[in-house]
Amino acid sequence: MLNIIVFGAPGSGKGTQSTLIQEKYGLLHLSTGDLLRKEIALKTDLGRIADELISKGQLVPDDLMIDMIDKAIEEKTATDTYTGIILDGFPRTVAQAEALEEVFKKHNKNITVLLDLMVDEQELIDRLIKRGQTSGRSDDNLETIKKRLVVYHEKTKPVNDHYKKQNKHAVVNGSGDIDEIFERVCNVLESRV
Ligand code: AMP
């Protein structure tokens, strides 16, 4: 079992690297951002709440997120067998990290490693502005990007400590060419299996 948390600031390449990991290792890729955007498209109650918060650069409340990830693991692993899970965008708070322990215990799983993709702040902003030209996302504009970075530093970055204490934290240089970054990611994963 290879259960990976792909972690980092907005624009650090979590989605891109998760897709590459998924293609190479055949794991289940769960992106909480993508799951929320599906809820928004379906106009569900959760979607309505998420829509407002996402466009303001704020986080969706922990209880809703924990429930969502628990159900997603339950549903996806009920019909298909996977050799592991990639969590992309979850956990984003210490409370979510703590709740994840319980969710994983329930599903008989363990986190293998958290990959912390490190990218300079200016590069993050440049990447997100560029993505905003084609993504159609309500949060890829300069004003919201700045808010998302503040939220990342205040609420999300402390999640690292939770995994450092468990020796499950690995830093990956997230700057440069996508394939080069992926090679660094694979080196970490192969050293952990
Ligand atoms: P992402 O696609 O990962 O950049 O997520 C887009 C937005 O969805 C975030 O800025 C949050 O508003 C919301 N979101 C995604 N994952 C989480 C989470 N684990 N906890 C709270 N909010 C989340």
Side-chain angles (χ1 to χ4, degrees), residues 8-13 117-130 142-154 157 173-175:
S12 59
L117 296 170
M118 299 286 279
V119 179
D120 286 347
E121 192 118 332
Q122 191 53 52
E123 194 174 338
L124 294 172
I125 295 171
D126 293 346
R127 284 184 186 179
L128 290 169
I129 296 278
K130 193 167 169 219
L142 188 56
E143 196 192 337
T144 313
I145 291 166
K146 285 188 174 162
K147 286 187 196 154
R148 288 161 69 195
L149 288 170
V150 170
V151 169
Y152 170 74
H153 285 288
E154 282 179 359
K157 213 163 186 262
N173 174 359
S175 282

Side-chain angles (χ1 to χ4, degrees), residues 32-33 36-37 54 58-60 65 89-90 92 96 137:
T32 44
L36 290 171
R37 283 183 287 275
I54 289 176
Q58 292 172 8
L59 295 181
V60 173
M65 294 309 302
F90 188 96
R92 254 179 163 99
Q96 290 181 14
R137 279 178 55 162

